[in-house]
Amino acid sequence: MRAGSPLQRAGSGAEAKFQSGACGEKADISQRREQAMALLEVKNIHKTFDELTVLNGVDLTVNKGDVVAILGPSGSGKTTLLRCINFLERADGGTMVFDGRTVDMAHADKKEIREIRSHTGFVFQNYNLFSNKTALQNVTLGLQTARKMPRDKAEEIGMEMLRKVGMADRADHYPSQLSGGQQQRVAIARALADDPEVIYFDEPTSALDPELIGEVLEVMRSLAASGITMVVVTHEMTFARDVSNHVIFMEKGKIVEEGPSKEFFAHPREERTRTFLRMVGNRTAPNGTGIVS
Amino acid sequence: MSSDVIQLLIQSFPRILLPGLLMTIPLTLIAFALALVIAVITALIQYARVPVLRQIARFYIWIIRGTPLLVQLMVGYYGPSAFGFHPNGFTVAVAVFAINEGAYCAETIRGSIEGVPKGQLEAGSCVGMSYMQIMWHIVLPQAFRTAFPALSNSIIGMVKDTSLASNITVTEMFLATRQIAGRTYQFLPLYLEVAFVYLIFSTVMTWIQRWGEKKLSRYEGRQPVAARRKRS
């Protein structure tokens, strides 16, 4: 996933391997990355809202088992990137290869979009749980409608997913009866239910009270450890450093820098990256989570 | 009040109530159910911006809201006879009330559909649901909750508007009262009596509204729902 670099645009797996091999010391997880197959490859996404260019030629490669963190200041286009690759926003240009299928992102039809979405899960910043459904129904509704799964089977899976996120005892509660952290955990269970190839997280903890962030990150850590492929737009530097194996830093609709996360945090190459890390590092330092070495 | 009048009121009461139960209420319920169907379809057409149909929907709402209900009833009743059809009054009344109320409720429902947060639709499409599935399972139930008080207003209004159907030979409560009054010349007491019966009907519907709102708001409360399904 050498987004942005000319080398990568030519992009074969071998090249990618060579490149990240060139980055010096590697964590185990980044080795896993090199050996894996590309699950998702996006090339040259462009997106403009009215006059404003939000994405200006972004490339992204996600391998099976990757946990990719996308960082960047607000307005850098990271959320739009995530929304475009799940077709919540329509990109103006770009191609996507998902699990071997090539799609023109600007002109994908309904069928292609539904096909891709059936292999992805999405977790929103504001949870977006169906407010007229209980926690369990939130998880099972997609299975019963989109997958035409019988109710008892769907509920069996639903309860299993709720157990995974520690919400089984709240199965019959409506979203309004749950805390933000609990709602987000149910939302993660909902994203997991369909056994997706990859789950996209759009700032999953940004809307939470500080004391509720931990429980959500904990769930995400355990998902990462279980080998689920994740792409996470986040402001949680500790999470990005400790859990992700690859980091992308974006600004103004472009990728400024990316690399294996250890490398990225230990030796950021770009001055802009260093400034950014210093800023957020200062902010989180009092908690003992400062990240700049 | 003389005992004769009291006697008359007592005797006439069942003869007013009965057409109320047999005509006014069925007319209201059938017409309102149809009105809701029309309203949801009209609202969805506008919400989804279906070309052509959307213009037709706007035109329909414009015509219906811009002309008096009584005139619509007359046109509905006498219009077909110009083509040789002679529909019965009740059928015309059901159709006209449904079409009339449908236009008003369409706006109510459209407003509440638009009030459902966009994230609810996005979440639905992310779990693979189709547009119609999202509408049916997520958007419409939430919109219905929001629209419920306004829709209750509409149906209570309709109970009383059905008195206009007396103009096209439907012997509902008001026409029944007028007939008795015509024979006995006790206009005021009898009209007050029928007003009282309308009030009873409206009161019952207000109770139903309150009960319905309570039912519908179950997912808004802060209190955990009493566990209906026991889980270990």
Side-chain angles (χ1 to χ4, degrees):
Chain A
M1 122 140 49
R2 330 273 81 78
S5 84
L7 248 182
Q8 196 238 345
R9 224 158 266 157
S12 73
E15 251 170 17
K17 191 168 180 177
F18 171 73
Q19 269 210 338
S20 80
C23 286
E25 58 166 272
K26 294 161 291 188
D28 294 341
I29 193 163
S30 53
Q31 276 168 346
R32 185 166 86 195
R33 173 181 176 78
E34 287 164 38
Q35 289 149 8
M37 291 281 296
L39 171 69
L40 167 72
E41 246 184 305
V42 178
K43 289 213 192 304
N44 206 19
I45 303 191
H46 282 82
K47 174 69 184 172
T48 308
F49 288 116
D50 296 321
E51 299 289 281
L52 187 72
T53 303
V54 187
L55 294 176
N56 195 1
V58 174
D59 297 351
L60 172 76
T61 304
V62 179
N63 293 331
K64 284 208 166 95
D66 265 354
V67 177
V68 177
I70 305 179
L71 312 177
S74 26
S76 57
K78 46 196 195 308
T79 288
T80 306
L81 173 63
L82 206 61
R83 290 172 62 86
C84 281
I85 56 181
N86 211 27
F87 298 94
L88 289 171
E89 302 287 351
R90 182 57 75 120
D92 301 327
T95 52
M96 169 189 279
V97 182
F98 189 92
D99 220 3
R101 277 178 301 269
T102 307
V103 180
D104 174 357
M105 295 183 74
H107 304 104
D109 60 32
K110 265 189 202 167
K111 213 178 136 212
E112 287 174 306
I113 292 174
R114 280 189 82 175
E115 169 63 22
I116 288 175
R117 278 184 181 156
S118 69
H119 298 285
T120 66
F122 200 99
V123 175
F124 296 86
Q125 182 176 352
N126 298 315
Y127 339 126
N128 286 344
L129 288 183
F130 308 129
S131 59
N132 57 326
K133 303 282 175 193
T134 63
L136 179 61
Q137 289 167 340
N138 261 277
V139 183
T140 58
L141 185 60
L143 299 175
Q144 286 181 263
T145 55
R147 286 287 156 115
K148 308 261 183 284
M149 198 179 275
R151 184 175 151 175
D152 48 346
K153 181 93 191 348
E155 289 192 346
E156 195 181 303
I157 294 177
M159 286 310 293
E160 187 193 328
M161 295 304 145
L162 287 178
R163 262 194 293 276
K164 270 192 188 174
V165 299
M167 288 295 295
D169 59 332
R170 296 280 194 279
D172 285 332
H173 288 232
Y174 286 96
S176 63
Q177 299 159 339
L178 301 173
S179 73
Q182 291 172 329
Q183 288 187 60
Q184 194 61 298
R185 280 149 62 197
V186 173
I188 292 171
R190 179 173 70 180
L192 276 170
D194 209 9
D195 195 20
E197 299 281 341
V198 53
I199 303 183
Y200 305 124
F201 292 82
D202 179 17
E203 303 195 26
T205 57
S206 299
L208 294 173
D209 290 339
E211 72 267 29
L212 301 177
I213 291 175
E215 59 185 83
V216 173
L217 289 182
E218 203 42 57
V219 168
M220 290 172 63
R221 267 174 216 275
S222 70
L223 291 187
S226 72
I228 291 178
T229 312
M230 297 161 63
V231 180
V232 188
V233 170
T234 187
H235 292 296
E236 293 296 323
M237 292 304 139
T238 321
F239 178 84
R241 192 191 49 189
D242 297 347
V243 182
S244 75
N245 64 319
H246 196 86
V247 176
I248 292 178
F249 176 63
M250 286 181 69
E251 190 177 38
K252 294 182 185 148
K254 289 195 167 222
I255 291 178
V256 174
E257 178 170 353
E258 68 170 306
S261 41
K262 285 223 163 144
E263 185 71 19
F264 178 91
F265 284 103
H267 310 289
R269 293 190 303 271
E270 303 290 328
E271 180 53 39
R272 181 64 189 100
T273 315
R274 282 195 283 271
T275 320
F276 177 78
L277 290 178
R278 228 175 356 257
M279 304 278 282
V280 291
N282 284 343
R283 199 190 63 203
T284 49
N287 309 330
T289 54
I291 27 83
V292 186
S293 51
Chain B
M1 216 189 289
S2 77
S3 62
D4 283 359
V5 174
I6 293 170
Q7 193 68 20
L8 173 66
L9 289 180
I10 293 169
Q11 277 176 0
S12 61
F13 187 77
R15 284 154 65 198
I16 293 173
L17 185 65
L18 208 62
L21 294 174
L22 296 180
M23 276 292 183
T24 302
I25 295 296
L27 176 57
T28 306
L29 292 183
I30 298 170
F32 196 75
L34 292 173
L36 280 183
V37 174
I38 295 173
V40 168
I41 293 170
T42 310
L44 282 179
I45 284 171
Q46 294 183 77
Y47 181 72
R49 297 179 199 282
V50 184
V52 187
L53 286 181
R54 183 180 173 214
Q55 275 78 21
I56 294 173
R58 290 312 307 172
F59 181 76
Y60 153 64
I61 292 170
W62 175 64
I63 292 287
I64 296 300
R65 290 202 303 186
T67 55
L69 176 56
L70 184 54
V71 174
Q72 291 164 14
L73 278 167
M74 292 302 184
V75 171
Y77 189 62
Y78 293 108
S81 54
F83 301 96
F85 299 112
H86 298 282
N88 87 31
F90 186 80
T91 314
V92 171
V94 166
V96 171
F97 280 114
I99 291 169
N100 179 277
E101 204 59 56
Y104 288 93
C105 293
E107 291 294 86
T108 307
I109 290 174
R110 182 174 63 93
S112 355
I113 290 178
E114 282 168 358
V116 174
K118 209 167 143 250
Q120 297 281 310
L121 285 95
E122 291 184 345
S125 61
C126 281
V127 297
M129 296 167 76
S130 70
Y131 187 78
M132 287 315 286
Q133 287 171 337
I134 293 171
M135 283 294 146
W136 184 251
H137 293 283
I138 301 163
V139 176
L140 285 177
Q142 291 183 29
F144 187 64
R145 167 68 194 94
T146 320
F148 193 75
L151 293 177
S152 304
N153 255 353
S154 296
I155 191 169
I156 291 171
M158 196 196 254
V159 175
K160 295 167 290 171
D161 285 347
T162 53
S163 59
L164 291 174
S166 62
N167 291 288
I168 56 167
T169 74
V170 179
T171 315
E172 42 63 69
M173 273 203 311
F174 182 68
L175 184 55
T177 311
R178 220 162 63 181
Q179 286 164 350
I180 301 167
R183 284 198 304 271
T184 60
Y185 295 101
Q186 292 291 350
F187 292 99
L188 184 63
L190 286 164
Y191 285 144
L192 286 175
E193 185 173 28
V194 74
F196 177 69
V197 180
Y198 276 114
L199 192 60
I200 294 172
F201 285 177
S202 305
T203 308
V204 171
M205 296 187 112
T206 310
W207 290 339
I208 295 174
Q209 175 186 356
R210 211 172 300 157
W211 172 82
E213 276 184 38
K214 217 166 157 183
K215 274 266 171 206
L216 282 171
S217 64
R218 72 193 186 284
Y219 60 80
E220 291 171 341
R222 283 273 146 197
Q223 291 298 310
V225 187
R228 280 160 292 145
R229 229 170 303 143
K230 290 273 177 234
R231 287 181 190 284
S232 51

